Amino acid sequence: MENVSNALSNLYKRIREKDQQSVLTFNEYINIAADQPELIFRNIFHHFHDMIHAYVSQGYNEYPDDPESIHYVNYDTSRLFVEESDHPFFADRLFANRLIALASSVYHGSQQNRIYIFEGPHGSGKSTFLNNLLMKFEKYSKTPEGTSYEIVWRLNKERLGRSQEHETHTIINQLRSLVDNTHGAGNTARDNIRLAEKNYLEVPCPSHDHPLLIIPKNNRREMFDSLIKDESFKKKLFNEKKYEWIFRDNPCTICVSLYQTLLDKLESPSEIFDMIFARKYQFNRRLGEGISVFNPGDKSAKARVMTNQILQTQLNALLKDSNRVRYLYSRYAKTNNGIFALMDIKSNNRERFTNLHGIISEGVHKVEDMEENVNSLFLALMNPEDSHMTDTQSFLDRITYIKVPYVLDYNTEVKIYLNAFGEQIRKNFLPKILENFARVIIATRLKPRSEALMEWIGIPENYELYCDNDLHLLKMEIYAGIIPGWLRESDRKSFNARRRKRIIAESEYEGNSGFSGRDSLKIFNEFYDAYSNKDKLINMGMVYNFFKKHHSNLVKFIPYGFLDSLVQLYDYDVLQEVKEALYYYNEERISRDIQNYLYAINFDIDVVEKCIYTGETLEITENFLKSIELRFLGVHAGDEQRELFRKDIQGQYTSTTLTQEIMVEGKNIQNTRVYEALHERYVHNLKEKVLEPFLNNANFRRAVKDYSTDSFKTYDRRIREEVSFLIKNLVEKSGYTEQGAKEVCIYVIDNDLARRFT
């Protein structure tokens, strides 16, 4: 029993200490504001922005030096939507960029009330997204960096003339009588008894007012100017639009009336501020404090006006005035400086949505004859067919739509499969096959024609070996943040920021039809059940046959010719992998050729110069330059093409490489952008020829098949070395298993891919 008593005593002590720590005097709060202004000077919009960036790290840009970048980067949202979630939400690259843009817009804007509607079709995961977002917001609010504060009043009874014992006893006796005669409300009444027995009356602000707002408006600028020592923050505070609320907003009507009443009764403002405290804003979705979520089936509360009659009685007795402070508020007060969310604008939520019109437009709500401030983050989910609910013109100006379509990034679609069926399924697939299955699903979600891509590419048939005529495969790569290596040089150069924005903008109108998320998982389950028990790893032929032959009912949803083009692209990709794995090159020789070329193109023909980079003496002739240029451009490059290429490289070298990167930034020639581009070209063209010695060598194919068996030892040393080198590189560089590496090599040889893509 003694152990139990000690354990409970320690528990009560810790709870009491925690409760005491959560309430600060106004002076303590202002000290924190002076030391950590970034933490204190923020409202719900700042809070939301900071929460997003606390869980989503800085995005990764695959092309950091691209001058035409539109900052469409890869954000990892797993900590926000996947980790610690019972039902993970997988945000593709497009949606992640929309969310980060929304957080930035909310943070940097004027922050007048708006409603942010997340619109998407059934099965797109809207509800899962919002539930996870709110869960992480609530969790973030409990961390030190996510802490925010609200006003709580502790009215000193003795100072306000409530020291007469008989009055105190009268109220306590009334409360005890209420406990004895009221069923179901005993705990609340007992809490009020404990408060009544204290030397102060605690009055929480039902609107969760920001403590800074209790400072009179005309004194705030001067107060903060002397309070804050961080000059950089002070400059932002006084000049940036996102901080206008600090100088513009008023506290709630209850706090204003309390302040004015106390000002009339007390001799100095310091006595008033001694009764003002700041406590941590406890966001709690289940209690509707700070976060309120309404489902369409939730009926509206009968009571439009809320109060606390016991607290009102104590206020009247303490202040000796029944009219000055009226403790009245609405349900919107509970989410002031918090989040008010509607799960689908249907049924009862239609009325709630309509009622928000005045609040969002004016920022106030009428509670009897009092005006209640409402500054909340309003969120809603909506299906496309319900868009007529938002057609009111005066409301449209206050609505921001964020699309939540079906996933359009094949990498994210694969994550959904792995989450549903387990990471272990990967071992049954050859590399790239899962991604290609996802591409088939996503093809059904895209618009049939892309005007932006057609305007850029012009003639899709130029890419018939790598892409479908509708350019869906190209769009998928761009949505995934990849600029394909098979694009022509002229098209890569013309892929400017304007075109990129147009292509990404088309995603706003895609993903509303086609196979839904639920359809996709069902189809994948059928596919996996059909092919996972085969002796071979799941390959591209199985994907093709599943859709083309065995499930013809699905083919009608897939764009015409897409499956054949997908196989073509796969063939090209695996050919490059095999070439990369078989290729061995003399890096030193390549490097010297590039450096000599960059130096030589700055001189006239038929002169002798010593290269300052390699130290080699160069006879700069047309043949010398041509021999290297053909390694950059390929053996079929003509004189005109080489001449244009030479002028372009020479212009880059003189305008950027030499004058900026080398002379200003101090880079080594091998670390410059032009060197890296030439190196990529050089290696690419060398790889094109790497398979030629083996194409007609039957022994090579058999050696691949017999690799890691006793028969492999019968082949001559050269073939054994080449095959071992090939298999080892495919395993280490491209993620194949040994079995998968053998299968893909046989596939490349048997389908004569090297000749097809010459």
Side-chain angles (χ1 to χ4, degrees):
M1 290 297 292
E2 184 178 350
N3 290 341
V4 173
S5 178
N6 289 337
L8 289 174
S9 178
N10 290 331
L11 173 64
Y12 301 151
K13 181 180 178 182
R14 285 194 294 270
I15 293 173
R16 186 167 60 252
E17 289 174 348
K18 182 178 179 182
D19 182 60
Q20 290 171 349
Q21 291 172 358
S22 66
V23 179
L24 306 172
T25 66
F26 196 75
N27 285 349
E28 290 171 334
Y29 173 76
I30 289 299
N31 279 328
I32 297 175
D35 294 337
Q36 303 178 63
E38 294 279 3
L39 177 71
I40 297 300
F41 286 80
R42 59 180 184 175
N43 57 11
I44 180 58
F45 306 105
H46 292 198
H47 205 177
F48 178 77
H49 168 272
D50 292 350
M51 183 276 294
I52 294 291
H53 285 278
Y55 288 108
V56 182
S57 57
Q58 186 175 0
Y60 172 70
N61 187 355
E62 292 87 348
Y63 308 96
D65 298 322
D66 188 346
E68 296 293 333
S69 173
I70 60 172
H71 306 292
Y72 175 65
V73 298
N74 184 23
Y75 292 103
D76 180 4
T77 60
S78 58
R79 289 183 62 230
L80 182 61
F81 295 130
V82 178
E83 294 179 11
E84 302 177 8
S85 300
D86 294 333
H87 303 285
F89 173 78
F90 294 90
D92 66 9
R93 188 172 183 136
L94 291 157
F95 181 73
N97 275 263
R98 289 188 195 114
L99 184 63
I100 296 298
L102 169 66
S104 179
S105 172
V106 165
Y107 178 55
H108 292 289
S110 61
Q111 299 170 348
Q112 61 183 354
N113 276 339
R114 300 184 68 83
I115 184 165
Y116 298 91
I117 297 180
F118 294 87
E119 182 189 58
H122 296 282
S124 63
K126 301 187 300 298
S127 298
T128 304
F129 148 73
L130 186 55
N131 281 324
N132 289 354
L133 183 74
L134 297 178
M135 178 192 73
K136 286 299 170 68
F137 183 87
E138 187 173 336
K139 181 180 178 182
Y140 173 73
S141 71
K142 293 176 172 59
T143 65
E145 61 272 18
T147 299
S148 61
Y149 293 89
E150 61 180 348
I151 293 175
V152 59
W153 297 80
R154 288 184 171 178
L155 307 180
N156 189 301
K157 296 177 181 178
E158 184 176 353
R159 183 67 189 86
L160 292 171
R162 284 290 289 112
S163 59
Q164 295 90 339
E165 290 187 8
H166 72 279
E167 293 183 11
T168 303
H169 288 315
T170 299
I171 291 177
I172 292 175
N173 289 333
Q174 289 175 351
L175 292 174
R176 283 179 175 151
S177 175
L178 183 64
V179 172
D180 295 335
N181 295 302
T182 304
H183 299 286
N187 290 336
T188 302
R190 289 188 187 94
D191 289 340
N192 281 288
I193 291 175
R194 285 192 288 271
L195 289 174
E197 292 173 335
K198 292 180 179 179
N199 65 352
Y200 61 82
L201 173 63
E202 183 166 289
V203 183
C205 172
S207 293
H208 306 288
D209 263 344
H210 202 293
L212 292 176
L213 298 184
I214 203 63
I215 300 170
K217 268 187 183 184
N218 56 354
N219 299 119
R220 291 176 193 172
R221 185 172 293 271
E222 181 183 1
M223 166 77 175
F224 299 147
D225 189 31
S226 61
L227 175 70
I228 300 169
K229 303 305 178 187
D230 185 340
E231 292 297 331
S232 63
F233 179 82
K234 192 186 298 186
K235 183 178 180 181
K236 291 190 292 184
L237 178 65
F238 291 149
N239 294 288
E240 294 187 8
K241 208 169 187 65
K242 62 190 177 188
Y243 292 110
E244 282 184 349
W245 65 274
I246 293 174
F247 306 101
R248 178 195 66 212
D249 289 359
N250 296 306
C252 75
T253 310
I254 295 172
C255 289
V256 168
S257 57
L258 264 174
Y259 183 88
Q260 292 295 336
T261 302
L262 294 177
L263 196 60
D264 292 342
K265 286 181 174 289
L266 302 175
E267 296 175 359
S268 69
S270 65
E271 291 186 276
I272 300 175
F273 282 91
D274 284 342
M275 299 185 195
I276 298 173
F277 290 77
R279 71 178 178 188
K280 291 183 179 179
Y281 191 166
Q282 300 292 335
F283 291 89
N284 191 316
R285 172 178 173 174
R286 295 187 68 186
L287 298 178
E289 292 293 344
I291 302 173
S292 287
V293 181
F294 297 95
N295 291 300
D298 296 338
K299 294 184 178 180
S300 299
K302 294 181 180 179
R304 300 283 179 170
V305 178
M306 299 179 179
T307 187
N308 182 327
Q309 194 57 53
I310 295 173
L311 180 58
Q312 183 70 65
T313 300
Q314 294 179 75
L315 274 171
N316 293 344
L318 182 61
L319 301 176
K320 296 183 174 62
D321 193 324
S322 61
N323 295 316
R324 292 291 295 273
V325 179
R326 300 179 64 200
Y327 200 76
L328 300 177
Y329 58 96
S330 74
R331 67 179 184 275
Y332 297 110
K334 295 169 73 68
T335 53
N336 186 53
N337 217 19
I339 299 176
F340 182 99
L342 299 177
M343 288 282 190
D344 282 336
I345 305 176
K346 296 179 182 297
S347 189
N348 294 321
N349 276 349
R350 291 184 178 181
E351 180 185 357
R352 292 189 180 98
F353 180 77
T354 303
N355 291 339
L356 288 178
H357 183 278
I359 296 172
I360 291 175
S361 298
E362 305 300 331
V364 294
H365 177 64
K366 205 76 171 176
V367 181
E368 292 190 352
D369 57 346
M370 297 164 52
E371 284 192 346
E372 180 179 76
N373 297 332
V374 182
N375 290 298
S376 304
L377 180 59
F378 293 102
L379 307 177
L381 305 181
M382 187 174 73
N383 295 318
E385 62 268 23
D386 297 323
S387 59
H388 64 278
M389 286 292 300
T390 63
D391 288 343
T392 306
Q393 186 58 44
S394 59
F395 211 177
L396 285 176
D397 296 338
R398 296 288 185 147
I399 296 176
T400 296
Y401 291 95
I402 305 94
K403 298 292 183 179
V404 192
Y406 301 137
V407 167
L408 297 176
D409 178 351
Y410 58 83
N411 292 313
T412 305
E413 186 76 7
V414 168
K415 290 179 183 177
I416 295 172
Y417 301 153
L418 296 178
N419 175 72
F421 298 95
E423 289 281 344
Q424 77 282 351
I425 68 171
R426 266 201 183 276
K427 69 179 187 297
N428 295 317
F429 288 81
L430 282 171
K432 301 184 184 302
I433 303 304
L434 265 172
E435 287 75 11
N436 279 346
F437 186 94
R439 285 182 172 100
V440 177
I441 298 298
I442 290 171
T444 69
R445 301 169 179 172
L446 300 179
K447 292 289 186 183
R449 178 181 173 85
S450 168
E451 297 298 334
L453 285 175
M454 290 297 177
E455 182 269 332
W456 169 34
I457 296 301
I459 306 175
E461 289 76 13
N462 288 337
Y463 292 107
E464 62 183 358
L465 287 178
Y466 321 105
C467 193
D468 57 298
N469 284 339
D470 297 315
L471 302 175
H472 286 144
L473 286 168
L474 175 57
K475 175 172 275 191
M476 288 182 203
E477 294 303 298
I478 294 170
Y479 281 177
I482 297 169
I483 303 175
W486 42 261
L487 283 175
R488 294 182 176 187
E489 184 67 21
S490 58
D491 287 332
R492 290 189 69 141
K493 286 186 175 181
S494 64
F495 190 40
N496 54 38
R498 179 186 64 83
R499 285 192 166 117
R500 297 179 194 195
K501 288 178 181 177
R502 280 194 66 197
I503 294 168
I504 296 300
E506 289 187 340
S507 68
E508 295 286 330
Y509 306 97
E510 296 182 308
N512 291 319
S513 59
F515 294 142
S516 70
R518 300 185 188 98
D519 293 336
S520 175
L521 288 174
K522 181 182 177 183
I523 294 167
F524 181 83
N525 185 47
E526 292 180 20
F527 170 75
Y528 188 68
D529 283 347
Y531 293 101
S532 60
N533 295 322
K534 304 294 183 183
D535 293 335
K536 297 177 66 176
L537 296 174
I538 299 175
N539 58 39
M540 194 61 218
M542 296 174 184
V543 174
Y544 184 87
N545 289 332
F546 175 78
F547 286 104
K548 195 80 170 180
K549 298 179 181 179
H550 303 310
H551 282 269
S552 56
N553 59 313
L554 301 177
V555 172
K556 61 185 178 182
F557 298 102
I558 302 170
Y560 178 77
F562 179 82
L563 284 169
D564 297 291
S565 296
L566 182 62
V567 173
Q568 286 272 79
L569 179 60
Y570 173 76
D571 290 350
Y572 172 80
D573 286 339
V574 295
L575 175 63
Q576 304 315 306
E577 286 182 334
V578 171
K579 286 180 177 180
E580 176 71 33
L582 192 57
Y583 180 60
Y584 176 80
Y585 54 89
N586 185 334
E587 178 60 43
E588 182 182 356
R589 182 66 262 170
I590 294 173
S591 179
R592 296 176 78 83
D593 280 350
I594 296 172
Q595 292 178 72
N596 287 337
Y597 180 76
L598 286 172
Y599 188 73
I601 57 177
N602 297 287
F603 295 92
D604 294 331
I605 298 297
D606 296 328
V607 298
V608 177
E609 294 289 341
K610 186 176 182 178
C611 180
I612 63 173
Y613 301 122
T614 65
E616 294 182 10
T617 299
L618 310 177
E619 292 186 19
I620 304 173
T621 63
E622 186 63 36
N623 284 335
F624 168 78
L625 297 175
K626 179 179 179 180
S627 65
I628 300 179
E629 285 165 351
L630 292 178
R631 295 169 192 171
F632 296 142
L633 299 172
V635 294
H636 301 294
D639 292 342
E640 183 179 354
Q641 184 182 358
R642 287 190 302 101
E643 183 179 348
L644 291 172
F645 176 80
R646 189 183 305 172
K647 287 181 179 179
D648 182 40
I649 297 299
Q650 202 270 338
Q652 292 182 50
Y653 177 81
T654 56
S655 65
T656 304
T657 306
L658 183 62
T659 57
Q660 180 63 34
E661 294 184 276
I662 295 177
M663 297 178 69
V664 176
E665 299 175 20
K667 286 185 178 180
N668 183 288
I669 183 68
Q670 293 169 283
N671 295 326
T672 61
R673 288 192 290 271
V674 71
Y675 176 93
E676 291 170 353
L678 291 176
H679 184 276
E680 182 182 348
R681 283 175 165 278
Y682 197 122
V683 172
H684 174 78
N685 281 295
L686 284 177
K687 288 177 186 175
E688 287 299 306
K689 306 296 180 184
V690 72
L691 269 173
E692 287 185 357
F694 308 106
L695 292 178
N696 297 314
N697 189 337
N699 279 343
F700 183 78
R701 184 190 184 282
R702 286 195 296 270
V704 170
K705 194 171 183 179
D706 291 337
Y707 180 76
S708 74
T709 68
D710 290 339
S711 300
F712 186 68
K713 299 174 183 177
T714 64
Y715 295 91
D716 65 60
R717 182 177 61 83
R718 176 66 184 274
I719 286 184
R720 291 201 312 272
E721 289 178 351
E722 295 285 0
V723 171
S724 297
F725 183 75
L726 171 61
I727 300 296
K728 180 181 177 182
N729 280 341
L730 282 172
V731 171
E732 293 180 355
K733 295 181 179 180
S734 301
Y736 287 88
T737 61
E738 188 177 288
Q739 178 190 352
K742 291 167 63 175
E743 288 184 15
V744 80
C745 288
I746 298 299
Y747 179 83
V748 168
I749 294 170
D750 288 354
N751 288 280
D752 203 14
L753 299 187
R755 285 199 177 91
R756 196 201 310 169
F757 288 96
T758 298

